[in-house]
Amino acid sequence: MTPHQLSFDLPVRPALGREDFFVSPANAEAVAMIDSWETWPSRKLILAGPTGSGKTHLTHVWAALSGARIIAAADLTDADIPALALSPLAIEDAEQTAGNRAAEEALFHLHNLSLAEGHTILLTAERPPHLWPLRLPDLMSRMQGTLVTQLRAPDDALLAAVLTKLFADRQIAPSPDTVPYLSRRIDRSFAAVREVVETLDAAALAERRAITRAFAAQVLDKMV
């Protein structure tokens, strides 16, 4: 057992730079849209995808490119809307405004004011806007009139890359055969990848064990 393979209770620091984002067929279209942000129709885009698919990472990449501010949709009702509209803006989890009259109205006014000021808007959500249960008709029409790009379910290369990145974010170096083994065993979803890495980290910390293929197999058997 080598010291660098042990799991330690260290802060999780996600790497959110453009160079840290692994491009595969599952996300290549979305990455291309972020890179070409100055050509978005009507200066707005919705980035849709499941939890853990890379929406937050790409949002930070876009913010670095455009100089945008980032705000959670849940914070819009308490935000200074005119001030937010003075620069490019990323609104995370925009779908969560649905059903909340005040939040929907805040998003509607921010959308209109930002575009009127000549700025660009990126919105993220788990689903395309036609699936959001919005109650404000004017907001619904604005969202459904926005170009959507989607992050797809992970292919083999992306699954392995996300596993590697999440281990690195936790400053963990598993044995070389661990990631290929996990890629073959776990459910093919971003949620499953995150759950497995979190569970392995906690188990390795509790048992003071290195994360190896054998240890991963033991933990997966317990999870099943």
Side-chain angles (χ1 to χ4, degrees):
M1 181 186 301
T2 57
H4 74 279
Q5 290 178 315
L6 289 173
S7 176
F8 297 95
D9 191 11
L10 299 171
V12 179
R13 296 187 178 89
L16 297 174
R18 175 65 174 82
E19 69 279 4
D20 302 306
F21 195 89
F22 183 85
V23 181
S24 83
N27 59 35
E29 176 187 298
V31 173
M33 290 299 300
I34 292 297
D35 286 341
S36 60
W37 69 275
E38 292 175 302
T39 67
W40 294 349
S42 303
R43 300 194 311 278
K44 56 181 181 173
L45 178 75
I46 293 174
L47 176 63
T51 299
S53 59
K55 296 190 300 294
T56 293
H57 194 153
L58 283 181
T59 296
H60 282 264
V61 170
W62 181 70
L65 290 172
S66 65
R69 296 178 62 182
I70 301 173
I71 186 170
D75 296 331
L76 288 179
T77 52
D78 297 321
D80 184 338
I81 299 300
L84 287 175
L86 295 177
S87 67
L89 186 66
I91 304 168
E92 293 197 286
D93 303 315
E95 182 179 359
Q96 293 183 9
T97 62
N100 182 323
R101 180 76 181 192
E104 288 192 25
E105 289 181 348
L107 179 57
F108 175 70
H109 292 307
L110 180 56
H111 168 279
N112 291 348
L113 189 54
S114 293
L115 296 182
E117 292 286 350
H119 296 302
T120 305
I121 306 171
L122 172 67
L123 304 103
T124 71
E126 291 197 5
R127 302 179 297 174
H130 70 277
L131 297 175
W132 304 358
L134 294 169
R135 297 179 181 176
L136 193 64
D138 288 339
L139 177 61
M140 183 182 297
S141 68
R142 300 298 194 280
M143 293 298 99
Q144 293 188 5
T146 302
L147 179 66
V148 179
T149 186
Q150 290 190 262
L151 293 159
R152 310 292 179 180
D155 51 34
D156 291 345
L158 183 55
L159 197 69
V162 172
L163 279 164
T164 300
K165 180 184 183 302
L166 292 181
F167 279 126
D169 287 346
R170 293 172 176 270
Q171 302 177 55
I172 298 170
S175 64
D177 55 351
T178 299
V179 168
Y181 170 76
L182 291 173
S183 298
R184 296 190 300 270
R185 285 287 309 274
I186 66 175
D187 291 340
R188 303 189 64 79
S189 72
F190 295 106
V193 172
R194 189 171 298 277
E195 180 186 7
V196 165
V197 171
E198 290 175 353
T199 302
L200 281 170
D201 187 13
L205 181 64
E207 299 181 31
R208 299 187 61 80
R209 295 277 301 276
I211 296 182
T212 63
R213 182 186 183 283
F215 182 68
Q218 294 174 20
V219 172
L220 286 185
D221 287 342
K222 292 178 182 178
M223 291 178 69
V224 171

